[in-house]
Amino acid sequence: MPRFSTSVSALRSSAIRELMSLASRPDIISFAGGMPGNELFPVDEVEELFRGLDTKTKQAAFQYGPTPGLPSLLESLGGFLERKGLPVKKNRLMITTGSQQALSIVARAFVDPGDQVLTEYPCFIGAIAAFRSAGAQIVSIPVDEEGLDIAMLRKEAARPDPAKFLYITPYFHNPAGMLYTSERKRELVEALQGRDIPLIEDDAYGDLWFSEEDRERLTPIKALDPEGIDICYMGSFSKILGPGLRLGWLLAPEAIYEKCELIKQSADACSPSFSQVIADAFIRSGKIDGYIATVREEYKHRAASMTNALRKHLPEYVRWNEPKGGFYIWLTLPEGADATEILKRAIEGGAVFVTGSTFDPAGKRNNTMRLSYCNNTPAEIERGIPIIARAIREVCG
Amino acid sequence: MPRFSTSVSALRSSAIRELMSLASRPDIISFAGGMPGNELFPVDEVEELFRGLDTKTKQAAFQYGPTPGLPSLLESLGGFLERKGLPVKKNRLMITTGSQQALSIVARAFVDPGDQVLTEYPCFIGAIAAFRSAGAQIVSIPVDEEGLDIAMLRKEAARPDPAKFLYITPYFHNPAGMLYTSERKRELVEALQGRDIPLIEDDAYGDLWFSEEDRERLTPIKALDPEGIDICYMGSFSKILGPGLRLGWLLAPEAIYEKCELIKQSADACSPSFSQVIADAFIRSGKIDGYIATVREEYKHRAASMTNALRKHLPEYVRWNEPKGGFYIWLTLPEGADATEILKRAIEGGAVFVTGSTFDPAGKRNNTMRLSYCNNTPAEIERGIPIIARAIREVCG
């Protein structure tokens, strides 16, 4: 056996890989994936935009670009983020190869093997993988429907040798589906101020809100620009253009940015210029705004189909969130229920979802399930949810 | 100051960043970059290929793909590599985000902070950055015009706690420009067999040979499939399609591949589907073969312009290789000469190159210079080389 490094020896393949191969079977209705529906991608618009570019720009799409990103995209994306109130000019912006790379880079920047980092429970699996790959010990703090457990955060922040950072996904949480309240964000900031624990704020879904009245709660903490706390804000083109472009971004204070740029240089030199040229044209043409408005409506429609079906079919003892945006509904079963057993029955019936333990850094708590409605038609949702409900009843009574 | 990780605290920005910003000035002739000329990219062919794809494939270009790569590209690239004699079926193939990511992944797979790795001197700077970012201590073994110093390799391999791997770029070396002999490759294999030191074989330039008679020397060591040695073979679309697509590959034995896939999953989830769809169409259409033949001729022509100019203008005490392929000519100045001082004078004259110390893991040895002819017209070469020659004479007499 080759002499692998310590941190990679500890890495194990996630069950999600097998699940995804199941999810691609045509006879299975999948509520497992976190990917947009293929039919929603702006294929024709992008092809037309590319055709209209001048030769010099098309050639640049084939060439290496600067490590932090193509200057034209940094400018147009900077404008896009400034319209969200983000302090782009006071920080440095970097294009990453998906926001997954932003997570990986931030982990490398801060974590020595054995160091602690704080995450939410439940937590985005890509973040768990990135932090663990850097050798981090994950300390998870539960979220409720308003955000992170602040008392527990205060306790962790007060330790003499506190964790290297706190990672949160406050806007249409993956997998918990919820949206932080403004009050909870304020409390979180207070708990971190002056504590030397940078905040990693992941905002991959924030554009996908369903109701105007929730928009105030969507203001990034980074946009509030609180003093005494280093905030690394990250986002992605995956949900507002297409994950296949592999483009995300990191907005970070200068000192952190400098280290992250060196790590990125050694990780893949630069993000794909081809994708960057496309994303830049998509923003500059203004098409991005119309596209976001369209998918927002579509996901709202799909979410409504799913909530209707859940209301109709689920046993009363299952608790779940009414989604305000994003991709996910998080089901909580009675204490002691085993979502893995439910998944087995659901697969037999022809539907899949992701079990809660996948999102538990400790891999244990499993009386929860994530259902995604982003990649299903209302008809599929109406056929699939009864299968899930039946599997739950079979296991939980 | 944020509490950065130990390995990132040690990372420093390379001088090459400033050099590259100089290199983009229109009044400067740059022999510094290792990028293909923009005018050589197959822009029209790729646009036409993309237009001809069916809707399903175009949609897949916007979607996440499997971590190891799109199945269709793994198949077509596998065929491309099998035609080079590589044992694709006995190993596992993975698409990476440029071969830079393959370097980064391999480093993460094997290196714990403080571990030694073996490289050539001089060594590709991307590899130095990737290995160092994983915390590696680099032990460099000199190359001559036939390959690595075998006696020194034997000594290093015989240590009780040997280095984690050996990294080499045997085919049109970056920066040394040379091509390993078959004999030297044989000796290298013998030195490593049974030593538990995997070989990382980087073949980014192998397709760019200038003469049929050198082709035998271009057979990858991986293709010889020697027993008792784990070989990770990596390559790139950067020189045979375009670096802006950020696509490379890693062909590795199963056990190593498994770990590398987990690292890739956490690094960026998957490489850009958009680029992969393009590369797949480029291979399957057969256009890649015609394109490689074209750029091969073009680089051969540029190399001839540069060797003519060097022969005419350089002082006799400068030693350099006649390139047999690839992008680079490596100049060796008399012992004690300072290429940084020559670079200063050259910049004043209006031309840039990369100093030898950049490619020295220890950052010291500096009586060498890398000239790249890949991105210059013969006219630029004829104007630029006299500037370089003058700077050398001013400093070395």
Side-chain angles (χ1 to χ4, degrees), chain A residues 54-369:
Chain A
D54 58 41
T55 303
K56 219 178 124 191
T57 306
K58 287 180 190 175
Q59 287 175 339
F62 285 74
Q63 189 58 281
Y64 289 110
T67 297
L70 294 182
S72 180
L73 176 60
L74 286 170
E75 185 187 81
S76 60
L77 176 64
F80 181 79
L81 297 177
E82 276 178 338
R83 290 194 288 281
K84 292 181 196 290
L86 287 156
V88 175
K89 293 200 176 61
K90 279 179 68 176
N91 290 268
R92 296 287 298 277
L93 182 59
M94 185 165 90
I95 305 297
T96 56
T97 307
S99 63
Q100 182 64 38
Q101 188 185 52
L103 287 166
S104 171
I105 288 175
V106 165
R108 304 280 173 207
F110 289 107
V111 175
D112 282 311
D115 281 352
Q116 289 191 339
V117 303
L118 304 175
T119 71
E120 300 159 312
Y121 165 74
C123 179
F124 169 48
I125 49 168
I128 297 176
F131 302 161
R132 211 160 256 164
S133 176
Q137 298 293 326
I138 296 177
V139 177
S140 62
I141 303 178
V143 295
D144 58 30
E145 60 278 12
E146 300 191 346
L148 202 68
D149 181 328
I150 298 296
M152 200 162 155
L153 173 62
R154 284 206 194 96
K155 221 170 82 183
E156 288 297 333
R159 292 190 194 281
D161 186 20
K164 281 302 188 73
F165 56 72
L166 167 65
Y167 168 74
I168 60 170
T169 57
Y171 316 107
F172 313 127
H173 192 279
N174 176 8
M178 56 81 188
L179 173 60
Y180 274 48
T181 61
S182 299
E183 174 63 10
R184 196 62 68 91
K185 287 191 284 182
R186 203 184 49 69
E187 291 172 340
L188 185 145
V189 165
E190 278 176 16
L192 288 185
Q193 270 167 328
R195 286 296 189 181
D196 203 10
I197 302 176
L199 175 66
I200 317 301
E201 186 181 27
D202 186 349
D203 188 9
Y205 300 91
D207 283 311
L208 305 178
W209 44 268
F210 298 158
S211 166
E212 279 283 350
E213 64 190 38
D214 292 321
R215 294 194 63 185
E216 205 198 311
R217 283 168 72 172
L218 287 165
T219 307
I221 299 175
K222 182 79 181 166
L224 304 172
D225 203 17
E227 277 194 36
I229 167 172
D230 281 330
I231 305 180
C232 300
Y233 174 87
M234 53 184 67
S236 173
F237 281 103
S238 292
K239 278 79 192 178
I240 57 173
L241 173 50
L245 281 83
R246 305 311 299 129
L247 290 182
W249 56 83
L250 175 67
L251 183 68
E254 178 80 26
I256 297 175
Y257 168 91
E258 288 285 343
K259 296 296 182 187
C260 290
E261 190 189 326
L262 290 172
I263 298 169
K264 166 132 183 94
Q265 173 75 47
S266 76
D268 64 0
C270 61
S271 290
S273 303
F274 216 99
S275 303
Q276 292 187 66
V277 162
I278 289 171
D280 185 38
F282 201 56
I283 297 176
R284 287 180 189 268
S285 67
K287 286 191 191 293
I288 195 167
D289 304 307
Y291 179 69
I292 291 173
T294 307
V295 291
R296 198 182 273 149
E297 277 310 303
E298 185 58 37
Y299 292 132
K300 183 178 174 178
H301 183 54
R302 294 176 185 199
S305 297
M306 190 173 274
T307 54
N308 284 340
L310 291 175
R311 220 171 273 123
K312 197 161 144 197
H313 297 286
L314 278 193
E316 288 219 346
Y317 54 74
V318 182
R319 287 180 293 121
W320 51 280
N321 62 301
E322 187 96 28
K324 297 176 186 296
F327 281 7
Y328 309 108
I329 298 182
W330 182 243
L331 272 51
T332 304
L333 307 163
E335 205 64 45
D338 180 9
T340 305
E341 190 53 39
I342 297 170
L343 178 61
K344 274 186 208 152
R345 311 269 179 134
I347 291 170
E348 286 166 18
V352 295
F353 59 88
V354 186
T355 57
S357 61
T358 310
F359 308 100
D360 178 8
K364 287 178 187 156
R365 288 165 282 195
N366 201 26
N367 66 325
T368 45
M369 323 172 17

Side-chain angles (χ1 to χ4, degrees), chain B residues 231-348:
Chain B
I231 305 180
C232 300
Y233 174 87
M234 53 183 67
S236 173
F237 282 102
S238 292
K239 278 79 193 179
I240 57 173
L241 175 50
L245 280 84
R246 306 309 301 127
L247 290 181
W249 56 82
L250 175 66
L251 182 69
E254 178 80 26
I256 296 174
Y257 168 91
E258 286 287 342
K259 295 298 182 187
C260 290
E261 189 189 325
L262 290 171
I263 298 170
K264 164 131 185 95
Q265 174 76 47
S266 76
D268 64 359
C270 60
S271 290
S273 304
F274 216 98
S275 303
Q276 292 186 65
V277 162
I278 289 171
D280 185 37
F282 201 56
I283 296 175
R284 286 179 188 268
S285 67
K287 285 192 191 295
I288 195 167
D289 304 306
Y291 180 69
I292 291 173
T294 307
V295 290
R296 198 182 273 149
E297 280 309 302
E298 184 58 38
Y299 293 133
K300 183 178 173 178
H301 183 54
R302 293 176 185 198
S305 297
M306 189 173 275
T307 54
N308 285 339
L310 291 176
R311 222 171 273 125
K312 194 160 148 197
H313 297 286
L314 278 195
E316 288 219 346
Y317 54 75
V318 182
R319 285 180 296 122
W320 51 280
N321 62 299
E322 187 96 28
K324 296 174 186 299
F327 281 7
Y328 309 108
I329 297 181
W330 182 243
L331 273 49
T332 304
L333 307 163
E335 206 62 46
D338 180 9
T340 305
E341 190 53 37
I342 297 170
L343 178 61
K344 274 187 208 151
R345 311 271 177 132
I347 291 170
E348 287 167 17

